[in-house]
């Protein structure tokens, strides 16, 4: 039965289903049956016949005859879900051994005449109405031939179903196109044998069907006008060519003596025929039987063998030697018949056929069912070994394209894999092609004996080996996008499918996770064609294996692998990871990684619009103390970090910052969209201690008194001038040595108590307590590899005067010291007032400054300008403005930075002047001095901005 959802490769019209398959029970109104027939009609589902012996106490013996065989017809009532017996007049077809007599009469009727049932030959006449798939047994009249124009009723055979002279099996039956009215709606039957005959029949009969009633006539034997004939054959092959019938091969005696002749039968009159033996031009047909012969074109035939005898004519005609010389072959011969000087000849050519790359080639066989459809040869079933009854054991279906083109560069067998139910293996079956079906009827099976079932194969349905998928989406896909491709659907003969009757299943398997997905197959049918579109959407990336099935069989180019690539990256799904995201060391290049992802979390492909901005150092805490939410960083400037696109969805980000503090890192995608977690808080910590940039200061370096504690400070810094973020007591050491009598430093330590007090940000407070007054030297070591030496001479306190002279000196010099101190303070205050006055004058007189600038610009070129280098300690140094210009040219400073620093320099900013003094006094390389100066100046500007913000 052909379902609208899943068409079957084979439709059983009269099939031997088992009772286990049908799952019937007594309560349904249908007795348990096996070997019954199932028929689907416009009336409903029907069951016919079968073997009723299948009960729990019986055992299957492979035979089905006698009283146990049912001939009842049951109809299934869909409303009540029960089976009911139908009263059908007449008898039903019995199991049939010889099905090759199946003949197409017109376009809607099949006919079968005579055969072998229960090992006995019979002469029953049955017809099948193709549209309704119903059998009818026809009564007929046996008519003898009186002359070429006259027939007579055979005595004792009028209107009876069987006549003693007509039963036979192994005969041939074809239809010819002739002008004689006797050949209208008739089949020409030749040869055959009965179980009790030693020689086959050499007679020709006409089986004529009435077009108005369910009756017929069997006319014959026809008159033979020629002097020669084949002499009687069975298990031969026959084919029609217009008004001519050709036969070849066959057995000339019961069970032996094969023929290798080719004969032609022509119509010589209304009821007269003529036999001609066709002679070979060169190669001769083998001695063969159980073969098939089909017409490819007028005068051109294909012969499929078959059983052969490999000996000579004498050896093959002797029964004992014949048995030892039998063999089976699977060969196709091309027979071309031509006329030369009124004599017919044939040319024999054995086709060179290659194996199916997947299924190989058909087994050698005999009694196969063979037909030609267009350019294709169709072969079904047969017997692959010898038995007396020639029971078949094969039910494979093969096709062979007989012409070569771009699709078929060589003759190659193609196996048709039947899905679902398939006919029993059989030999001697009949096969007919009635568009759009291939019908297979009857035959003999090794286990079941004679068969009477009929199957039909819908060759318009999709044939997996001819179907294939096309489209870019069969190789590549994008995650989270709708993908689609086409399935080119063709039938077994390579013709495009037009009715959308086939269904397809598409499966995707992830080769990494082994998970399965399904695709949706959409059919679109038009007036002339049908198209199949497969649509699918993948969420995960990776390699997927795609399989496409129709009727549980994979199509031609299945399986294929699909590379599912990431979809467009989404900022909300992307992430950042790496140590450089939270902390870094000043002057060290730190890194982190951006992983761009699509909407399903798949790692992307790269090429995104990504920016990384670092802002800071921040003036306040980034995290709100109440809500713990990150706030915008109010730092002085932003820096864009360097990023490397790895083209796999990852971006390596690197940056180098020399100023310590808290920074904000913003990772932006698709313009100004923050990715997940952005902005991030990052802290820059100081580098290692660099003694050259560390400071030592405090009163204790220049004055101390015995018996009183003194102190000084050590501010540790790194090479960029950052205060050290962490402190350690082992980083600083203060050592005191007594002075020698000659003024040098001895190795005798002074009696001094020392205590270190670490403060925040790398600051150390050094407290020392001289026990006695003495001259000596103090060494301050920083990081155990740098020291500074200070002379120290603690003086005594509260000591008694040695004489009156000392007291007089104190009395005299005390007023003088007080006067000197007051004079110095007056001078200092005057200088301060003068500085402030000059500053106010410069700020209020812009015109004067402009005139001074114009005056400087108007200096003649030939005048000797002042040197840009000022003498320092006998050497010249660059003017500060020149130094600032050089820092801008080397990209240490921006143009805005240079302008701001020049303004601060013109205002005598003490921090800028101090930074320049450190630059001039430094003994480092010029490049390092400039980098440190630029860093110090940036910190001064940042502090100034901070004050402005506050």
């Amino acid at each position: 039965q052909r379902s609208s959802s899943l068409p079957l490769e084979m439709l059983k019209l009269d099939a031997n289903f088992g009772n286990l398959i049908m799952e019937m029970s007594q309560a349904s109104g249908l007795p348990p049956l096996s070997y019954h027939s199932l028929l689907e009609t416009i009336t409903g589902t029907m069951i016919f016949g079968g073997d009723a012996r299948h009960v729990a106490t019986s055992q299957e013996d492979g035979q089905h005859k006698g009283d146990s065989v049912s001939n009842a017809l049951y109809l299934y009532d869909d409303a009540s879900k029960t089976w009911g017996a139908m009263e059908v007049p007449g008898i039903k077809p019995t199991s049939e051994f010889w099905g090759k007599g199946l003949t197409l009469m017109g376009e809607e009727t099949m006919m079968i005449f005579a055969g072998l049932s229960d090992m006995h030959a019979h002469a029953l006449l049955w017809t099948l109405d193709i549209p309704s798939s119903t059998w009818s047994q026809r009564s007929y009249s046996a008519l003898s031939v009186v002359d070429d124009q006259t027939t007579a009723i055979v005595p004792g055979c009028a209107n009876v179903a069987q006549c003693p002279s007509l039963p036979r099996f192994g005969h041939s039956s074809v239809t010819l196109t002739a002008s004689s009215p006797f050949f209208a709606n008739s089949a020409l039957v030749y040869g055959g044998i009965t179980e009790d005959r030693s020689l086959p029949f050499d007679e020709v009969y006409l089986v004529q069907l009435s077009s108005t009633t369910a009756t017929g006539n069997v006319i014959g034997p026809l008159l033979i006008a020629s002097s020669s004939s084949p002499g009687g054959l069975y298990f031969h092959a026959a084919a029609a060519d217009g008004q001519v019938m050709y036969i070849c091969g066959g057995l000339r005696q019961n069970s032996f003596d094969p023929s290798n002749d080719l004969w032609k039968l022509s119509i010589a009159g209304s009821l007269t025929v003529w036999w001609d033996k066709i002679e070979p031009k060169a190669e001769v047909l083998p001695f063969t039987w159980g073969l098939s012969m089909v017409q490819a074109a007028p005068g051109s035939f294909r012969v499929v063998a078959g059983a052969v005898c490999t000996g000579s004519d004498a050896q093959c005609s002797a029964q004992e030697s014949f048995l030892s010389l039998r063999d089976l072959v699977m060969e196709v011969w091309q027979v071309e018949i031509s006329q030369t000087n009124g004599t017919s000849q044939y040319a024999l050519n054995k086709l060179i056929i290659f194996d199916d790359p997947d299924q190989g080639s058909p087994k050698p066989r005999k009694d196969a069912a063979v037909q030609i459809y267009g350019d294709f040869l169709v072969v079904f079933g047969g017997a692959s070994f010898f038995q007396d009854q020639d029971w078949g054991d094969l039910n494979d279906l093969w096709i062979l394209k007989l012409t070569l083109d771009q699709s078929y560069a060589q003759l190659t067998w193609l196996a048709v894999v039947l899905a679902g139910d398939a006919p029993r293996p059989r030999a001697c079956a009949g096969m007919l092609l009635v568009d759009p079906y291939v019908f297979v009827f009857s035959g003999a099976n090794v286990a079941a004996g004679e068969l009477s079932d009929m199957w039909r194969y819908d060759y318009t349905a999709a044939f997996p080996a001819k179907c294939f998928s096309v489209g870019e989406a069969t190789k590549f896909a994008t995650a989270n996008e709708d993908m689609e491709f086409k399935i080119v659907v063709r039938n077994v003969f390579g013709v495009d499918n037009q009715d959308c009757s086939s269904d397809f299943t598409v499966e995707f398997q992830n080769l990494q996770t082994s998970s399965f997905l399904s695709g949706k197959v959409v059919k679109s049918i038009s007036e002339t064609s049908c198209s199949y579109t497969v649509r699918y959407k993948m969420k995960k990336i990776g390699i997927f294996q795609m399989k496409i099935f129709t009727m549980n069989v994979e199509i031609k180019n299945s399986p294929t692998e699909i590379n599912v690539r990431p979809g467009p990256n989404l900022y909300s799904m992307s992430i950042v990871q790496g140590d450089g995201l939270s902390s870094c060391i000043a002057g060290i290049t730190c890194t982190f990684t951006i992983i761009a992802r699509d909407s399903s979390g798949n790692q992307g492909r790269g090429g995104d619009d990504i920016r990384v901005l670092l802002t800071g150092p921040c003036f306040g805490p980034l995290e709100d103390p109440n809500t713990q939410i990150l706030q915008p960083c109010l730092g002085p400037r932003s820096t864009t970090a360097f990023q490397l696109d790895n083209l796999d969805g990852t971006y390596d980000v690197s940056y180098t910052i020399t100023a310590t503090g808290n920074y904000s890192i913003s990772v932006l995608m698709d313009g100004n969209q923050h990715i997940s977690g952005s902005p991030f808080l990052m802290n820059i910590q100081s580098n290692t201690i660099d003694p050259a940039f560390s400071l030592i200061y405090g009163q204790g370096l220049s004055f101390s008194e015995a018996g009183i504690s003194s102190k000084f400070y050590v501010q540790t810094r790194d090479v960029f001038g950052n205060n050290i973020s962490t402190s350690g007591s082992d980083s600083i050491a203060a050592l005191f040595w007594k002075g020698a009598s000659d003024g040098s430093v001895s190795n005798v330590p002074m009696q001094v108590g020392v205590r270190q007090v670490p403060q925040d940000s790398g600051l150390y407070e050094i407290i020392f307590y001289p026990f006695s007054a003495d001259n000596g030297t103090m060494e301050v070591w920083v990081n155990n590899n740098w020291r500074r030496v200070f002379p120290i001479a603690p003086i005594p306190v509260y000591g008694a005067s040695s004489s009156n002279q000392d007291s007089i000196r104190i009395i005299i010099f005390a007023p003088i010291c007080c006067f000197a101190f007051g004079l110095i303070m007056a001078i200092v205050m005057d200088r301060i007032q003068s500085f402030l006055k000059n500053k106010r004058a410069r700020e209020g007189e812009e015109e004067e400054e402009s005139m001074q600038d114009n005056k400087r610009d108007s200096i003649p070129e030939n005048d000797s300008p002042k040197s840009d280098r000022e003498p320092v300690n006998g050497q010249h140094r660059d003017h500060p403005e020149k130094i600032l210009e050089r820092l801008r040219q080397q990209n240490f400073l921006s143009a805005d930075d240079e302008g701001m620093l020049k303004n601060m320099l013109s205002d005598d900013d003490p921090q800028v002047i101090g930074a320049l003094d450190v630059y001039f006094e430094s003994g480092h390389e010029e490049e390092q001095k400039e980098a440190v100066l630029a860093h110090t100046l940036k910190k001064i500007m940042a502090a100034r901005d901070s004050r402005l913000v506050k």
Side-chain angles (χ1 to χ4, degrees):
Q1 181 181 0
R2 183 171 181 175
S3 169
S4 60
S5 60
L6 181 61
L8 297 178
E9 283 287 336
M10 277 288 186
L11 173 63
K12 192 156 191 181
L13 298 179
D14 193 16
N16 285 330
F17 280 75
N19 62 314
L20 294 180
I21 297 177
M22 294 300 296
E23 297 181 354
M24 298 298 177
S25 64
Q26 293 284 358
S28 68
L30 184 72
L33 293 171
S34 64
Y35 301 111
H36 55 272
S37 300
L38 175 68
L39 191 65
E40 187 71 20
T41 70
I42 58 175
T43 306
T45 304
M46 295 183 182
I47 292 286
F48 167 73
D51 194 338
R53 292 174 299 169
H54 285 266
V55 295
T57 58
S58 66
Q59 184 176 3
E60 169 61 40
D61 57 7
Q63 302 295 323
H64 34 111
K65 55 188 176 181
D67 296 337
S68 65
V69 178
S70 170
N71 66 350
L73 182 63
Y74 294 87
L75 175 65
Y76 183 72
D77 184 0
D78 188 65
S80 62
K81 308 298 182 185
T82 59
W83 291 88
M86 296 181 63
E87 294 297 331
V88 178
I91 59 175
K92 286 76 180 174
T94 57
S95 297
E96 233 13 276
F97 170 76
W98 185 251
K100 282 200 171 183
L102 189 66
T103 309
L104 183 62
M105 309 288 286
E107 296 181 352
E108 296 184 349
T109 304
M110 296 183 192
M111 181 206 76
I112 182 74
F113 172 71
L116 185 71
S117 178
D118 286 339
M119 301 306 296
H120 295 287
H122 66 81
L124 300 178
L125 177 61
W126 289 87
T127 58
L128 175 72
D129 181 67
I130 297 175
S132 63
S133 300
T134 56
W135 284 102
S136 298
Q137 184 185 5
R138 295 202 178 206
S139 60
Y140 61 86
S141 298
L143 305 178
S144 62
V145 178
V146 178
D147 55 39
D148 188 52
Q149 299 291 333
T150 309
T151 61
I153 296 177
V154 177
C157 290
N159 295 317
V160 297
Q162 188 168 353
C163 294
S165 61
L166 295 179
R168 66 194 60 211
F169 67 93
H171 52 283
S172 60
S173 177
V174 299
T175 58
L176 301 180
T177 57
S179 58
S180 171
F182 292 102
F183 282 84
N185 204 28
S186 300
L188 197 67
V189 175
Y190 171 75
I193 198 171
T194 62
E195 65 274 12
D196 53 0
R197 286 177 61 94
S198 60
L199 297 176
F201 296 105
D202 191 28
E203 301 167 342
V204 180
Y205 284 86
L206 273 177
V207 179
Q208 190 180 61
L209 300 180
S210 171
S211 59
T212 58
T213 62
T215 60
N217 296 317
V218 177
I219 306 172
L222 301 184
L223 300 179
I224 299 176
S226 59
S227 59
S228 62
S229 68
L233 295 169
Y234 79 107
F235 288 168
H236 55 279
D241 187 3
Q243 299 185 27
V244 179
M245 178 181 72
Y246 292 92
I247 64 171
C248 68
L251 295 177
R252 292 175 288 199
Q253 300 187 60
N254 195 336
S255 302
F256 69 101
D257 192 9
S259 170
N260 69 339
D261 295 333
L262 176 63
W263 289 85
K264 178 178 75 171
L265 182 142
S266 305
I267 300 174
S270 296
L271 294 171
T272 305
V273 295
W274 182 281
W275 285 106
D276 283 308
K277 184 177 180 181
I278 312 299
E279 298 296 335
K281 288 183 177 181
E283 188 176 354
V284 183
L285 283 164
F287 297 99
T288 180
W289 73 102
L291 70 164
S292 298
M293 182 179 184
V294 289
Q295 184 187 32
S300 179
F301 300 88
R302 301 296 180 268
V303 176
V304 181
V308 296
C309 178
T310 58
S312 64
D313 190 5
Q315 291 173 321
C316 293
S317 60
Q319 188 170 8
E320 293 184 359
S321 58
F322 166 77
L323 295 176
S324 63
L325 295 173
R326 294 180 304 175
D327 195 10
L328 291 176
V329 297
M330 189 60 202
E331 297 177 351
V332 180
W333 299 312
Q334 179 179 344
V335 179
E336 300 291 338
I337 299 174
S338 61
Q339 296 283 338
T340 305
N341 298 325
T343 302
S344 297
Q345 291 182 308
Y346 74 87
L348 183 68
N349 179 34
K350 179 182 175 181
L351 300 184
I352 305 301
I353 307 174
F354 295 87
D355 294 347
D356 184 311
D358 298 321
Q359 304 292 332
S361 61
K363 284 184 178 181
R365 65 194 63 204
K366 64 174 183 174
D367 296 320
V370 179
Q371 280 290 347
I372 281 185
Y373 173 81
D375 294 332
F376 292 88
L377 182 75
V378 183
V379 179
F380 173 77
S384 65
F385 59 93
F386 291 98
Q387 280 190 343
D388 292 339
Q389 292 81 20
D390 292 322
W391 305 128
D393 65 321
L394 300 175
N395 67 340
D396 48 353
L397 183 63
W398 296 81
I399 65 171
L400 174 68
K401 194 171 191 300
L402 300 175
T403 58
L404 301 180
D405 52 29
Q406 293 180 352
S407 302
Y408 293 85
Q410 59 188 16
L411 298 178
T412 305
W413 283 111
L414 176 63
V416 180
V417 180
L418 298 177
D421 294 327
R424 281 178 179 269
R426 65 193 64 205
C428 300
M431 178 188 287
L432 287 179
L433 296 178
V434 182
D435 191 45
Y437 300 112
V438 176
F439 289 88
V440 175
F441 170 70
S442 180
N445 173 262
V446 173
E450 304 99 333
L451 303 172
S452 62
D453 51 352
M454 176 172 280
W455 295 75
R456 76 179 183 194
Y457 170 71
D458 183 1
Y459 57 74
T460 64
F463 181 56
K466 295 289 185 180
C467 302
F468 55 92
S469 58
V470 293
E472 186 71 13
T474 62
K475 300 177 181 178
F476 301 99
T478 301
N480 302 302
E481 289 188 6
D482 292 324
M483 311 300 298
E484 67 176 42
F485 61 89
K486 300 288 186 181
I487 300 177
V488 178
V489 182
R490 292 176 178 170
N491 64 19
V492 68
F493 301 115
V495 179
D496 289 342
N497 181 274
Q498 296 181 353
D499 61 358
C500 283
S501 60
S502 300
D503 288 327
F504 290 83
T505 302
V506 182
E507 292 182 353
F508 301 91
Q509 181 184 12
N510 190 319
L511 297 182
Q512 284 78 32
T513 63
S514 299
S515 60
F516 283 90
L517 300 171
S518 297
K520 182 180 181 181
V521 182
V522 180
K523 301 180 184 180
S524 300
I525 188 169
S526 64
E527 295 181 357
T528 58
S529 64
C530 173
S531 65
Y532 290 76
T533 302
V534 179
R535 295 171 181 167
Y536 66 94
K537 180 188 287 187
M538 298 294 189
K539 290 187 176 181
K540 294 299 181 182
I541 62 174
I543 303 299
F544 286 76
Q545 185 183 74
M546 179 180 68
K547 293 182 179 181
I548 304 177
F549 300 88
T550 178
M551 291 165 291
N552 297 321
V553 179
E554 290 188 65
I555 66 173
K556 183 178 180 179
N557 60 343
S558 176
T560 58
E561 289 188 355
I562 298 178
N563 182 8
V564 181
R565 298 171 292 193
N569 292 324
L570 193 62
Y571 66 89
S572 59
M573 296 296 294
S574 302
I575 62 171
V576 184
Q577 60 186 22
D579 294 337
L581 197 63
S582 58
S583 63
C584 189
I585 303 297
I588 301 298
T589 299
C590 295
T591 62
F592 59 85
T593 302
I594 302 172
I595 302 177
R597 293 177 173 176
D598 62 16
S599 59
S600 293
N602 300 305
Q603 185 171 311
R605 288 176 286 180
D608 296 287
D609 178 18
I610 292 181
R611 291 184 303 137
V612 180
L613 299 180
L614 295 94
T615 304
C618 306
F619 299 135
L622 283 181
E623 189 174 82
D624 189 295
N626 298 320
T627 63
Q628 284 76 48
I629 298 176
L630 290 181
Q631 304 177 100
C633 177
L634 299 177
R637 61 180 55 83
S638 296
T639 301
T640 301
F642 173 77
Q643 59 195 43
L644 174 64
D645 187 352
N646 296 317
L647 301 179
D648 61 354
T650 63
Y651 300 82
D652 293 334
V653 180
S654 60
Y655 62 90
T656 303
I657 298 178
T658 57
T660 58
N662 290 328
Y663 287 77
S664 173
I665 300 180
S666 297
V667 183
L668 306 175
M669 179 184 290
D670 299 333
N672 294 318
Q673 300 293 337
H674 286 269
I675 71 170
S676 179
S678 176
F680 302 92
L681 173 62
M682 186 266 299
N683 179 259
I684 299 294
Q685 299 179 354
S686 62
N687 211 312
T688 57
I689 297 174
D690 189 330
F693 291 91
S694 299
L695 302 177
I696 300 177
Y697 60 93
Q699 186 179 6
L701 296 178
S702 57
F703 178 79
S704 60
E705 296 180 275
I708 296 178
S709 296
S710 298
K711 61 182 178 180
F712 62 92
Y713 296 90
V714 178
Q715 176 63 63
T716 56
R717 292 180 175 174
D718 60 16
V719 69
F720 303 103
N722 300 305
N723 292 340
I724 299 301
S725 304
T726 58
S727 301
S729 59
D730 56 347
S731 300
I732 304 299
L735 305 176
F736 296 85
W737 306 97
K738 287 184 177 182
S741 57
D742 58 358
S744 63
V745 180
S746 70
N747 56 358
V748 179
M750 294 179 64
Q751 297 297 316
V752 178
V754 181
R755 181 166 62 92
Q756 299 181 26
V757 181
Q759 306 292 335
D760 293 333
S761 301
L763 178 65
Y764 293 87
E765 182 183 28
I766 309 300
I767 302 173
F768 64 94
Y769 184 91
F771 292 100
S772 59
D774 203 348
N775 292 322
T777 301
M778 177 180 65
E779 293 181 346
V780 179
W781 288 80
V782 179
N783 234 22
N784 295 324
N785 58 8
W786 182 87
R787 70 170 184 164
R788 217 53 207 265
V789 179
F790 300 92
I792 186 170
I795 62 175
V797 295
Y798 306 118
S801 299
S802 58
S803 62
N804 291 332
Q805 187 177 2
D806 293 334
S807 300
I808 294 171
R809 289 175 181 170
I810 292 174
I811 294 172
I812 293 174
F813 285 103
I816 296 174
C817 290
C818 292
F819 173 79
F821 177 77
L823 180 63
I824 292 171
M825 291 298 296
I827 294 173
V828 170
M829 293 299 296
D830 182 72
R831 291 290 299 273
I832 292 174
Q833 291 177 358
S834 176
F835 171 78
L836 294 176
K837 181 178 180 181
N838 292 335
K839 182 177 180 181
R840 285 192 298 271
R842 283 196 302 269
E843 291 177 339
E845 297 175 1
E846 294 180 356
E847 293 182 1
E848 182 179 353
E849 288 179 352
S850 175
M851 292 176 61
Q852 290 176 355
D853 291 338
N854 294 334
K855 184 178 180 180
R856 285 194 296 268
D857 294 338
S858 62
I859 296 176
E861 293 182 0
N862 55 358
D863 289 352
S864 299
K866 277 189 175 182
S867 173
D868 289 336
R869 302 176 64 86
E870 300 177 359
V872 178
N873 297 330
Q875 298 181 356
H876 289 276
R877 66 183 183 185
D878 290 334
H879 193 276
E881 292 186 356
K882 291 291 184 180
I883 296 174
L884 296 178
E885 292 178 1
R886 188 162 64 248
L887 293 180
R888 177 182 56 78
Q889 293 172 356
Q890 296 180 4
N891 295 324
F892 283 113
L893 298 175
S894 64
D896 293 340
D897 293 339
E898 180 187 6
M900 181 184 294
L901 290 170
K902 285 183 177 181
N903 291 334
M904 296 174 70
L905 188 63
S906 64
D907 293 340
D908 293 331
D909 188 289
Q911 289 182 307
V912 176
I913 295 173
L916 289 169
D917 288 340
V918 173
Y919 166 79
F920 290 128
E921 296 294 338
S922 175
H924 288 78
E925 295 292 333
E926 189 68 24
E927 183 178 355
Q928 185 175 3
K929 288 168 55 180
E930 290 175 348
V932 173
L933 175 60
H935 175 75
T936 304
L937 293 175
K938 287 182 179 180
K939 292 190 64 174
I940 293 171
M941 289 188 290
R944 181 176 180 274
D945 292 342
S946 176
R947 290 193 298 274
L948 293 176
V949 171
K950 291 180 180 179

